[in-house]
Amino acid sequence: MNNNSQEYTIAFYNIENLFDFENDPNTNDDDFLPISAKRWTPKRYENKLRKLGSVISKIGDEATEHAPVIIGLAEVENKKVLSDLVRSKNLIEEAYSYVHYDSSDERGIDVALLYKDDLFKVESSETFSVYLQNDSGERDYTRDVLLVQGRLHEEKLNIIVNHWSSRREGEKETEHKRISAANVVNSIIKRLKKENTDAKIIVMGDFNDNPNDTSIRLMEKESDLFNPFKTVWSRDKGSLNHDFQWNLFDQIFFSVNFFDKRNSNLSFDKADVFNDKILTQYHGKYKGQPFRTYVGKKYRGGYSDHFPVYIQLKHSENNV
């Protein structure tokens, strides 16, 4: 046996509306302009970049010495904000690259992937649309699903990043939208397994559903994925809080071959919510909940309304 092992953190973070402060005529970004009711100024934008950078660089458990090698993001406006984020004060030395595509989402927000290109070598990426219709039969645009394929220590990883439809019009009323997204992910995985029956797959995102909801269980069962966040979620632990109830909408799943230590140098070690004290409200009735950038139109100056989540993979040379 060789005990020369190394830990890698893989994370996901919904960063709550990372918009720049310039008007884009093609998206609904009017809330995030200096002249809007939210007064989204260059100073507030810089403050958010600095805060997000300080969090991203620390995600992982106490023993983690390095920033995550891969981070999926939700609620990103465009490439400019990603470029500003990776070059911000707390992240510039981490030398992240990113993958991003503009989607047709009505709010103009997308998913993206940050990665350390000295460790994770991206080979290809593409997006998949979730086709939805509203009550009058018109197309209802939502975020695309992002697939990024690359190699970490010569092991090919397929990473699928998601941000599924929200529950704004009601949980049951919108459930079919998230089931449609789950079916898109299942079809991507089917294709990946057709190309390679032993494909290593990681599915991450803000699913707007909890580990016990239909869409999540459908994906887990049909694509034979393991969800470590089932046991992370509890009455007093989640990634976001609504009406004083913890939800765990942010999750990371993976194919079961991450448990196969004999045939793989990368194996699953642990999963958790990164709910460090600095990310929380420190007093008042919302104490312990995520310290948000905005509550409605009121500026709070925090990080995000979600906590990041992460898994840790152990890399061991010559396990056998």
Side-chain angles (χ1 to χ4, degrees), residues 2 27 30 47 73-74 85 203 261 320:
N2 184 341
T27 65
D30 295 357
N47 184 46
L73 298 176
L85 178 62
V203 180
K261 292 183 179 175
V320 185

Side-chain angles (χ1 to χ4, degrees), residues 77-224:
E77 185 188 15
N78 52 30
K79 284 187 172 55
K80 181 194 185 304
V81 300
L82 286 166
S83 169
D84 291 347
L85 178 62
V86 299
R87 289 185 293 123
S88 63
K89 181 183 158 192
N90 296 312
L91 278 192
I92 192 152
E93 288 183 10
E94 301 295 346
Y96 281 113
S97 297
Y98 55 84
V99 179
H100 167 267
Y101 293 85
D102 277 311
S103 74
S104 306
D105 175 69
E106 280 144 10
R107 283 178 58 214
I109 54 171
D110 312 310
V111 296
L113 194 80
L114 301 187
Y115 63 97
K116 297 197 165 206
D117 61 9
D118 58 330
L119 295 167
F120 182 63
K121 306 292 181 195
V122 169
E123 293 175 345
S124 68
S125 62
E126 61 185 299
T127 57
F128 300 81
S129 294
V130 180
Y131 192 84
L132 302 171
Q133 284 183 330
N134 62 21
D135 295 338
S136 49
E138 294 166 330
R139 179 87 192 263
D140 180 4
Y141 291 98
T142 185
R143 278 77 61 174
D144 289 344
V145 177
L146 172 65
L147 168 66
V148 179
Q149 298 177 286
R151 290 184 185 273
L152 180 62
H153 276 295
E154 294 311 306
E155 285 207 43
K156 185 163 182 175
L157 299 184
N158 303 278
I159 297 165
I160 302 171
V161 190
N162 301 265
H163 184 193
W164 292 0
S165 299
S166 85
R167 297 178 165 197
R168 204 166 291 117
E169 292 97 42
E171 182 188 335
K172 281 284 160 248
E173 291 79 354
T174 55
E175 184 183 52
H176 68 280
K177 297 182 177 185
R178 293 183 292 281
I179 288 172
S180 293
N183 286 327
V184 169
V185 175
N186 285 335
S187 68
I188 297 167
I189 292 175
K190 205 176 241 167
R191 193 190 89 181
L192 293 173
K193 287 186 172 175
K194 210 172 171 181
E195 291 164 11
N196 173 11
T197 49
D198 203 32
K200 280 193 130 83
I201 299 161
I202 294 173
V203 180
M204 56 169 67
D206 171 0
F207 299 98
N208 272 299
D209 266 340
N210 284 310
N212 58 353
D213 284 314
T214 307
S215 65
I216 299 295
R217 291 197 322 239
L218 171 75
M219 194 170 62
E220 208 182 334
K221 186 169 175 276
E222 208 147 293
S223 290
D224 195 20

Side-chain angles (χ1 to χ4, degrees), residues 22-33:
E22 282 151 25
N23 187 27
D24 179 346
N26 300 314
T27 65
N28 185 8
D29 66 351
D30 295 357
D31 268 354
F32 290 92
L33 299 173

Side-chain angles (χ1 to χ4, degrees), residues 7 61 254 258-259 261 267-271 311-314:
E7 290 265 329
D61 69 13
F254 48 84
F258 279 98
F259 290 114
K261 292 183 179 175
S267 60
F268 171 69
D269 187 33
K270 68 176 289 192
I311 61 169
Q312 299 213 172
L313 298 179
K314 218 182 206 76

